[in-house]
Amino acid sequence: MRLFIDFVPLLLWMGLVTALVIVMLLASWVLRPHVLQNSEKTSTYECGEEPLGPARISFPYSYIIYTVLFLVVDVMGAFMWLYAVSALRTSVFVVWQVVVFAAVIMAAVMFVLKILPKAQMTGPEVVALYEAAKEQATGLHSEG
Amino acid sequence: MQEAEILFENIEFLLIAGVVIVLAYLALEHRDIVYAAFFFGFMATGVAGIFILLEAPFVAGLQIAIYTGGITALIIFGVLLIPRAQDSTLEVLHSPRMRKVGLVLSISVVVISALIALLFPWQESIPPEHIPLSQSLEGLAEWLWGTHAVYLEIIAMLLFVGLVGSVAIIRMEKEEQLRPRTEDFSLPIPEESEPESATSGMPVLEARDVKEEKEVE
Amino acid sequence: MVPLSWYMVLALILIGMGAYGMVSKRNLIRILISAEIMANGVNIALIALALYGPFFTFTAQALVILVIAVAAAETALAMVLMLLYHRRYRTVDLGIPVTRTEEVS
């Protein structure tokens, strides 16, 4: 008994899902009214507002730390899942290894959560930066 | 029954391999980089299917959990954080010469690997029709956590260093935003009156090239 | 059972595509995706050789697991470094001679 035989229902299910998506898209294409497409109709929907610029704007860079945290905890969870499904749950030595493994990663997570407020721009700093840039710009303008 | 199973496995492998190759091509060549990241995630899922065909269920699950769930999410999030990452006009303008170089290099890599595989007949050292079915989750857990747990401690240290390095780089970025460096490698700030000295090196080379061309003419 | 050479051919095609992307692309994120495609090809080759080998060990699977975890840490650091690159040069394309001094002046 090979392993991939167990996954044949999954393959059939994926085929069914693909067929369902195609059928739903076709049905909505048939049923919807075909009106003229203009820029007003295809613009981004913002509730009660005129959309300003594209939808892909930039956020502060430091938000990527949260995704890195998710990735690290994801890797840790995968290895601890391997430990949890095996019969090693009762072995004291393996439990200590798991504790060391989790403690090292959790120390990093704690350090990041502690250092992250210092790594982000606070409000007064942003205001000071903006005023310095504005002063420099006006100085250049008056010189030119 | 046995032959039907073999035929079914061959068909499944060809199907998954075709999907993986098409998705890898799309991930390399699609214009919009967000779509490229999505195609890379689907390609990683297809590779997980190959791992299931190769009787490695834990590696397949790890592939889906980390590649599809983690790395693709990280790439998409980074693309959304970088404003002009989708701007690939420069790539399209510049690409034909580099595309030829890349094709030559990748074809040479494939040919050299195939030649090495033909010169050193590793296939003959493997007995045919040898199907070990001893791979199980229990055995892998016993091997990995029971006797070789030092690998996992190495992985934990790697993740530790990665996380601390990431937050240190973000902190460095904030410092640079607060006090922007106005000089690189102790070069003076270029004045408006002399634009020739603004970039060191490159305009001088271009000027010399132009002079040489004039002499040739 | 699928012959071993089919798996090796698939791994070779993936590694070749990754090498092509790493040389011919200019976008740093595209280069990162190419590196991950190469890593996937290497993983397929390792698992296939472990399954078809003369005797069975878990070494190849442990190696692949290590490669996947290292790829996760590497991608995290690469994305954060790419943010710093974008901070300094205002782009993520390679080979543009824009320096910090030009941008400030």
Side-chain angles (χ1 to χ4, degrees), chain B residues 30-73:
Chain B
H30 201 281
R31 288 180 62 95
D32 198 344
I33 201 146
V34 180
Y35 283 91
F38 271 106
F39 284 132
F40 170 70
F42 291 137
M43 193 213 79
T45 315
V47 173
I50 297 274
F51 287 156
I52 285 174
L53 272 180
L54 284 170
E55 312 254 338
F58 178 67
V59 179
L62 205 66
Q63 176 93 11
I64 288 178
I66 292 177
Y67 268 102
T68 311
I71 290 179
T72 310

Coordinates of all heavy atoms in Angstrom, one line a residue, chain B residues 30-73:
Chain B
H30 N 6.0 36.2 -15.1 CA 4.8 37.1 -15.1 C 5.2 38.5 -14.8 O 6.1 38.8 -14.0 CB 3.9 36.6 -14.0 CG 2.4 37.0 -14.2 ND1 2.1 38.3 -13.9 CD2 1.4 36.4 -14.8 CE1 0.8 38.5 -14.2 NE2 0.4 37.3 -14.7
R31 N 4.6 39.5 -15.4 CA 5.0 40.9 -15.3 C 4.7 41.4 -13.9 O 5.6 42.1 -13.3 CB 4.2 41.7 -16.3 CG 4.6 41.5 -17.7 CD 3.8 42.4 -18.6 NE 4.0 43.8 -18.2 CZ 4.8 44.6 -18.9 NH1 5.5 44.1 -19.9 NH2 5.0 45.8 -18.6
D32 N 3.6 41.1 -13.3 CA 3.2 41.6 -12.0 C 3.8 40.7 -10.9 O 3.7 39.5 -10.9 CB 1.7 41.7 -11.8 CG 1.3 42.6 -10.7 OD1 2.2 42.9 -9.9 OD2 0.2 43.0 -10.6
I33 N 4.6 41.3 -10.0 CA 5.3 40.5 -9.0 C 4.5 39.9 -7.9 O 4.8 38.9 -7.3 CB 6.5 41.3 -8.5 CG1 7.6 40.4 -8.0 CG2 6.1 42.3 -7.4 CD1 8.9 40.9 -8.2
V34 N 3.3 40.5 -7.7 CA 2.4 39.9 -6.7 C 1.8 38.6 -7.3 O 1.8 37.6 -6.6 CB 1.2 40.9 -6.4 CG1 0.3 40.3 -5.4 CG2 1.8 42.2 -5.9
Y35 N 1.5 38.6 -8.6 CA 1.1 37.3 -9.2 C 2.2 36.3 -9.2 O 2.0 35.1 -9.0 CB 0.6 37.6 -10.7 CG -0.8 38.2 -10.8 CD1 -1.0 39.6 -10.8 CD2 -1.9 37.4 -10.8 CE1 -2.2 40.1 -10.9 CE2 -3.1 37.9 -10.9 CZ -3.3 39.3 -10.9 OH -4.5 39.8 -11.0
A36 N 3.4 36.8 -9.4 CA 4.6 35.9 -9.4 C 4.7 35.2 -8.1 O 5.0 34.0 -8.0 CB 5.8 36.6 -9.8
A37 N 4.5 36.0 -7.0 CA 4.6 35.4 -5.6 C 3.5 34.4 -5.4 O 3.7 33.3 -4.8 CB 4.5 36.5 -4.6
F38 N 2.3 34.7 -5.9 CA 1.2 33.7 -5.8 C 1.5 32.4 -6.5 O 1.3 31.3 -6.1 CB -0.1 34.3 -6.3 CG -0.9 35.0 -5.2 CD1 -0.9 36.4 -5.2 CD2 -1.5 34.3 -4.2 CE1 -1.6 37.1 -4.2 CE2 -2.2 35.0 -3.2 CZ -2.3 36.3 -3.2
F39 N 2.0 32.6 -7.8 CA 2.4 31.4 -8.6 C 3.5 30.6 -7.9 O 3.5 29.3 -7.9 CB 2.8 31.8 -10.0 CG 1.6 32.2 -10.8 CD1 1.7 33.3 -11.6 CD2 0.5 31.4 -10.9 CE1 0.6 33.7 -12.4 CE2 -0.6 31.7 -11.7 CZ -0.5 32.9 -12.4
F40 N 4.4 31.3 -7.2 CA 5.4 30.5 -6.5 C 4.8 29.7 -5.3 O 5.2 28.6 -5.1 CB 6.5 31.5 -5.9 CG 7.4 30.8 -5.0 CD1 8.3 29.9 -5.4 CD2 7.4 31.1 -3.6 CE1 9.2 29.3 -4.6 CE2 8.2 30.5 -2.8 CZ 9.1 29.6 -3.2
G41 N 3.8 30.3 -4.7 CA 3.2 29.5 -3.6 C 2.4 28.3 -4.1 O 2.6 27.2 -3.5
F42 N 1.8 28.4 -5.3 CA 1.1 27.2 -5.8 C 2.1 26.2 -6.3 O 1.9 25.0 -6.2 CB 0.2 27.7 -7.0 CG -1.0 28.5 -6.6 CD1 -1.4 29.6 -7.2 CD2 -1.7 28.1 -5.4 CE1 -2.5 30.3 -6.8 CE2 -2.8 28.8 -5.0 CZ -3.2 29.9 -5.7
M43 N 3.3 26.7 -6.8 CA 4.3 25.8 -7.2 C 4.9 25.0 -6.0 O 5.1 23.8 -6.1 CB 5.5 26.5 -7.8 CG 6.5 25.7 -8.5 SD 8.1 26.3 -8.5 CE 8.6 25.8 -6.9
A44 N 5.0 25.7 -4.8 CA 5.4 25.0 -3.6 C 4.4 23.9 -3.2 O 4.8 22.8 -2.8 CB 5.6 25.9 -2.5
T45 N 3.1 24.1 -3.4 CA 2.1 23.1 -3.1 C 2.3 21.9 -4.0 O 2.1 20.8 -3.6 CB 0.7 23.7 -3.3 OG1 0.7 25.0 -2.6 CG2 -0.3 22.9 -2.6
G46 N 2.6 22.2 -5.3 CA 2.8 21.1 -6.2 C 4.0 20.2 -5.9 O 4.0 19.0 -6.0
V47 N 5.1 20.9 -5.4 CA 6.2 20.2 -4.9 C 5.9 19.3 -3.7 O 6.4 18.2 -3.5 CB 7.4 21.1 -4.7 CG1 8.6 20.5 -4.0 CG2 7.8 21.8 -6.0
A48 N 5.0 19.8 -2.9 CA 4.5 19.0 -1.8 C 3.8 17.7 -2.3 O 4.0 16.6 -1.7 CB 3.5 19.8 -0.9
G49 N 3.1 17.8 -3.4 CA 2.5 16.6 -4.0 C 3.6 15.6 -4.5 O 3.4 14.4 -4.3
I50 N 4.7 16.2 -5.0 CA 5.8 15.3 -5.4 C 6.4 14.6 -4.2 O 6.7 13.4 -4.2 CB 6.9 16.1 -6.1 CG1 6.4 16.7 -7.4 CG2 8.1 15.3 -6.4 CD1 6.5 15.9 -8.6
F51 N 6.4 15.3 -3.0 CA 7.0 14.7 -1.8 C 6.0 13.6 -1.3 O 6.5 12.6 -0.8 CB 7.1 15.7 -0.7 CG 8.3 16.6 -0.9 CD1 8.4 17.9 -0.4 CD2 9.4 16.2 -1.7 CE1 9.4 18.7 -0.6 CE2 10.4 17.0 -1.9 CZ 10.5 18.3 -1.4
I52 N 4.7 13.7 -1.5 CA 3.8 12.7 -1.1 C 4.0 11.5 -2.0 O 4.0 10.3 -1.6 CB 2.3 13.2 -1.2 CG1 2.1 14.1 0.0 CG2 1.3 12.0 -1.2 CD1 0.8 14.8 0.0
L53 N 4.2 11.7 -3.3 CA 4.6 10.6 -4.2 C 5.8 9.9 -3.8 O 6.0 8.7 -4.0 CB 4.7 11.0 -5.6 CG 3.5 11.1 -6.5 CD1 3.9 11.6 -7.9 CD2 2.9 9.8 -6.6
L54 N 6.8 10.6 -3.2 CA 8.0 10.0 -2.7 C 8.0 9.5 -1.3 O 9.0 9.3 -0.7 CB 9.1 11.1 -2.8 CG 9.6 11.4 -4.3 CD1 10.5 12.6 -4.3 CD2 10.4 10.2 -4.7
E55 N 6.8 9.4 -0.7 CA 6.6 8.8 0.6 C 7.3 9.5 1.7 O 7.9 9.0 2.6 CB 7.2 7.3 0.6 CG 6.7 6.5 -0.6 CD 5.7 5.5 -0.2 OE1 5.7 5.1 1.0 OE2 5.0 5.1 -1.1
A56 N 7.1 10.9 1.7 CA 7.7 11.7 2.7 C 6.6 12.6 3.2 O 6.6 13.8 2.9 CB 8.9 12.5 2.3
P57 N 5.7 12.1 4.0 CA 4.5 12.9 4.4 C 4.9 14.1 5.3 O 4.3 15.2 5.1 CB 3.6 12.0 5.1 CG 4.5 10.9 5.6 CD 5.6 10.8 4.6
F58 N 5.9 14.0 6.2 CA 6.2 15.1 7.0 C 6.8 16.2 6.3 O 6.6 17.4 6.5 CB 7.1 14.7 8.2 CG 7.5 15.8 9.1 CD1 6.5 16.5 9.8 CD2 8.8 16.3 9.1 CE1 6.9 17.5 10.6 CE2 9.1 17.3 9.9 CZ 8.2 17.9 10.7
V59 N 7.7 15.9 5.3 CA 8.3 16.9 4.5 C 7.3 17.6 3.6 O 7.4 18.8 3.4 CB 9.4 16.3 3.6 CG1 10.1 17.3 2.8 CG2 10.5 15.6 4.5
A60 N 6.3 16.9 3.1 CA 5.2 17.5 2.4 C 4.4 18.5 3.2 O 4.2 19.6 2.8 CB 4.3 16.5 1.8
G61 N 4.1 18.1 4.5 CA 3.4 19.0 5.4 C 4.2 20.2 5.7 O 3.8 21.4 5.8
L62 N 5.6 20.0 5.9 CA 6.5 21.1 6.2 C 6.5 22.1 5.0 O 6.6 23.3 5.2 CB 7.8 20.6 6.6 CG 8.7 21.4 7.5 CD1 8.1 21.5 8.8 CD2 10.1 20.8 7.6
Q63 N 6.6 21.5 3.8 CA 6.6 22.3 2.6 C 5.4 23.2 2.5 O 5.5 24.4 2.3 CB 6.7 21.4 1.4 CG 6.7 22.1 0.1 CD 8.0 22.3 -0.4 OE1 9.0 21.9 0.1 NE2 8.1 23.2 -1.5
I64 N 4.2 22.6 2.8 CA 3.0 23.5 2.7 C 3.0 24.5 3.8 O 2.7 25.7 3.6 CB 1.8 22.6 2.7 CG1 1.6 21.8 1.4 CG2 0.5 23.4 2.9 CD1 0.5 20.9 1.3
A65 N 3.4 24.1 5.0 CA 3.3 25.0 6.1 C 4.3 26.1 6.0 O 3.9 27.3 6.4 CB 3.5 24.2 7.5
I66 N 5.5 25.8 5.6 CA 6.5 26.9 5.6 C 6.6 27.6 4.3 O 6.6 28.8 4.2 CB 7.9 26.3 6.0 CG1 7.8 25.8 7.4 CG2 9.0 27.3 5.8 CD1 9.0 25.2 7.9
Y67 N 6.7 26.8 3.1 CA 6.8 27.6 1.9 C 5.5 28.3 1.5 O 5.5 29.5 1.2 CB 7.2 26.6 0.7 CG 8.7 26.5 0.6 CD1 9.4 25.4 1.1 CD2 9.4 27.5 -0.1 CE1 10.7 25.3 0.9 CE2 10.7 27.4 -0.3 CZ 11.4 26.3 0.2 OH 12.7 26.3 0.1
T68 N 4.4 27.5 1.4 CA 3.2 28.1 1.0 C 2.6 29.1 2.0 O 2.1 30.1 1.7 CB 2.1 27.0 0.7 OG1 2.8 26.1 -0.2 CG2 0.9 27.6 0.0
G69 N 2.7 28.7 3.3 CA 2.1 29.5 4.3 C 2.9 30.6 4.8 O 2.4 31.7 5.2
G70 N 4.3 30.4 4.9 CA 5.1 31.4 5.5 C 5.9 32.2 4.5 O 5.8 33.4 4.5
I71 N 6.7 31.6 3.6 CA 7.6 32.3 2.8 C 6.8 33.1 1.7 O 7.1 34.3 1.5 CB 8.6 31.3 2.1 CG1 9.5 30.8 3.2 CG2 9.4 32.0 1.1 CD1 10.6 29.9 2.7
T72 N 5.7 32.5 1.2 CA 5.0 33.2 0.2 C 4.3 34.4 0.8 O 4.2 35.5 0.2 CB 3.9 32.3 -0.5 OG1 4.6 31.1 -0.9 CG2 3.3 33.0 -1.6
A73 N 3.7 34.2 2.1 CA 3.1 35.4 2.8 C 4.1 36.5 3.0 O 3.8 37.6 2.9 CB 2.5 34.9 4.1

